[in-house]
Structure formats: structure tokens, C-alpha cells
Amino acid sequence: MAATGLKQLSNALATPDQLSNSSSSIDGVPSDLETSIRVAGAQLTQTAGVLLGLSQDIIAQAIVIFTRFWLGADGGSLRIYSAKDVSAASLYLTAKLSFQPTSPRSVLNVYTLLLSQDASPLWFVNPRGAPAQPPAPEKYLLTEGGYQSARLTLLRIESVILRTLGFDTHVALPHTIAWTYLQTLGVARPAVARGVVKHLNAALLSPQLLYVTHQPNALAVAAIYLAAREEGVKLVDGNWWEVFDVDREELGFLVVGMRSLEGYLRRERQLWQTQAIPMVLEDVDSEIERRRMMDEGE
């Protein structure tokens, strides 16, 4: 019983081989492009979940499932599956398995809006920015025929995700653990708690894949460390993180990773300021070809 309880608080982590040899890289997707698409896909999942009114727990689990799908040589390839389809299916699947299921039509309507280059508020879809005036509905609404086709794709990709993950959809999140640790440390102040949640949610977008390389307890400790420092709250003396089974090296890596996200996203916006990050197969192929031509001076 105790072992089962501990298992529910931990995750199966990515192996070094999975991190260094993705299916996308084997298929010729440059590592920086793969990272850009993966981070954009996580942001797309987050925004879609908010628009659908889903809880942050469900959204976070969907982002982790989305991230896991691309891991390793046996994972999904960006030359075979569109990131936007995997994002939508991850969110639909996670919501379906929760207390807050949502319909395929609702999911697809939201994704049609978010991926519309005329209506999307997302910078990596619409670099020009959201339109000042609401566009005509036909620019971002699915037709009935379009819905039926998109629904079949959604359900097919859902099945692909389940098979790729070996039907293991368990995701342990650090948020509840972090609250327990805050109470144990006697610093469960609202400002610190808000900071912890901010860092944990931001870490879902990490290019270092923090949620699939570190256990929830370590993520919780790093978020507490950062939030307490930012609020000027002194924690207990000594290496308190060791009490929660986190060593100094791991804590340092996570703190640096969490703090570097803002700078990474800023650089991404500068890098992609004139074009959208490719979220569908055709655009990925076009970007790879564009880079090839530039390298060859054509």
C-alpha cells in the first residue's frame, strides 16, 4: 500500500537516450527547431486549456503528456505528426480521463481560433499580433465538414498517443507536494505560495523538459527556494532541501532552469518575430527546406 502511494507521487522519467535521440532528430529536424515547436506546443496547450475552462491540474497533465509523446526514438516525429494535433489530442485525452471532460467540438473550435493567422492572439502563430478588430467568424470557425474531418484526426491522434505512451497516462504534479512542504517549513504565506505556483506552471514550458527529467518533489523544492528568495522570506537554517530528498546539485540545476525560461522565451520572440513557428507538417518541412537552402547559399 505504501509503495503504491509513493508511486502516485512520482513519474517515470526520460532516459538520457530518449533525451538525446528523438524520433524528430532522426528524421532530420534540427534540435533548435524541435525545441521551438515543443515549447510553442506547450504554450498552445496551456492557452487552449484556459479557454476551455479546464483546471490547471488538467492542463499541466496534458502538457506533460504532450512532452512525453516526442521523447526518444520510439516517440512521435514532427515529420509525421503535427504538433497542433498532438496538443489538441493530449488536452482532449487528459480532460476525458478527469472529472472535467470536454467535447471534441469544443476542443476543435478553440484550436481553430488559436491557430488562425487572422484571429489568434498567440505570438508564435500570429507574429503581427492579435487584430485590433475582431475578424469575421468564418476566418476562425469550423465548417461542419471541417469539424467531421478534424474530429477523426483528433480521435486518431489520441489513439497514437496512448499507444506511444504504452497507455501510461499517469502524471504526478508537484503543486500539492509544494503546498505540503510550505506548511512543513512554516512559510505558507500567500505571496510565497503564489510565487511557487507561478514557477511550477512556468516550468511546464521549459526547453530543458524539467517535468520529464525531475520528480515532483524536486520541482516543488526548487519552486519554493525561488519564491522564498524573491519574497525575501528566510527559510530554516541548513540544507533543508535534503530533508525532501533533493541534493544541492539537482536543486541548483532546477533553479537555473526555472530562472532561464523568461530569457529563453524573449529570445524566441525575437527569433520568430517575422514568421510563425511551424505547428503543422507542411510548415515544418518548409522550414527545414528553407534552412537547407540558406546553408547551401541558394
Side-chain angles (χ1 to χ4, degrees), residues 85-263:
D85 291 335
V86 177
S87 169
S90 297
L91 197 58
Y92 173 69
L93 169 63
T94 307
K96 185 167 71 173
L97 296 174
S98 75
F99 60 88
Q100 204 177 1
T102 189
S103 68
R105 188 179 293 275
S106 295
V107 171
L108 294 171
N109 280 339
V110 165
Y111 273 82
T112 302
L113 167 65
L114 291 178
L115 292 162
S116 167
Q117 294 194 346
D118 294 307
S120 179
L122 297 173
W123 66 268
F124 53 85
V125 174
N126 184 8
R128 297 167 298 176
Q133 299 295 327
E138 57 266 21
K139 290 186 178 293
Y140 61 87
L141 290 180
L142 275 174
T143 63
E144 187 58 30
Y147 165 68
Q148 293 300 336
S149 175
R151 179 177 177 276
L152 290 176
T153 299
L154 178 71
L155 299 180
R156 179 176 65 84
I157 299 300
E158 178 192 20
S159 298
V160 171
I161 291 172
L162 286 170
R163 291 198 303 271
T164 301
L165 300 184
F167 293 87
D168 182 6
T169 58
H170 168 71
V171 178
L173 296 174
H175 299 68
T176 301
I177 297 173
W179 178 247
T180 301
Y181 289 178
L182 283 172
Q183 292 178 313
T184 301
L185 292 166
V187 290
R189 304 177 188 177
V192 176
R194 285 193 297 269
V196 168
V197 172
K198 178 191 74 172
H199 286 299
L200 290 178
N201 289 341
L204 289 162
L205 312 179
S206 168
Q208 293 102 333
L209 308 179
L210 299 182
Y211 269 74
V212 297
T213 56
H214 295 270
Q215 292 293 359
N217 67 301
L219 293 167
V221 165
I224 290 171
Y225 181 91
L226 273 174
R229 289 197 64 178
E230 290 167 354
E231 294 299 323
V233 174
K234 182 172 172 28
L235 298 174
V236 296
D237 294 328
N239 298 340
W240 58 269
W241 47 86
E242 294 180 354
V243 175
F244 304 118
D245 200 24
V246 179
D247 61 36
R248 182 183 292 274
E249 183 179 357
E250 183 175 23
L251 174 60
F253 179 86
L254 285 169
V255 166
V256 171
M258 289 180 177
R259 293 183 66 180
S260 66
L261 178 62
E262 184 177 350

Side-chain angles (χ1 to χ4, degrees), residues 28-61:
V29 180
S31 60
D32 65 310
L33 177 59
E34 181 180 358
T35 300
S36 292
I37 296 172
R38 200 171 52 222
V39 173
Q43 293 177 77
L44 174 63
T45 309
Q46 175 69 47
T47 306
V50 171
L51 291 181
L52 286 164
L54 299 175
S55 71
Q56 184 58 35
D57 278 2
I58 294 173
I59 297 171
Q61 290 172 36

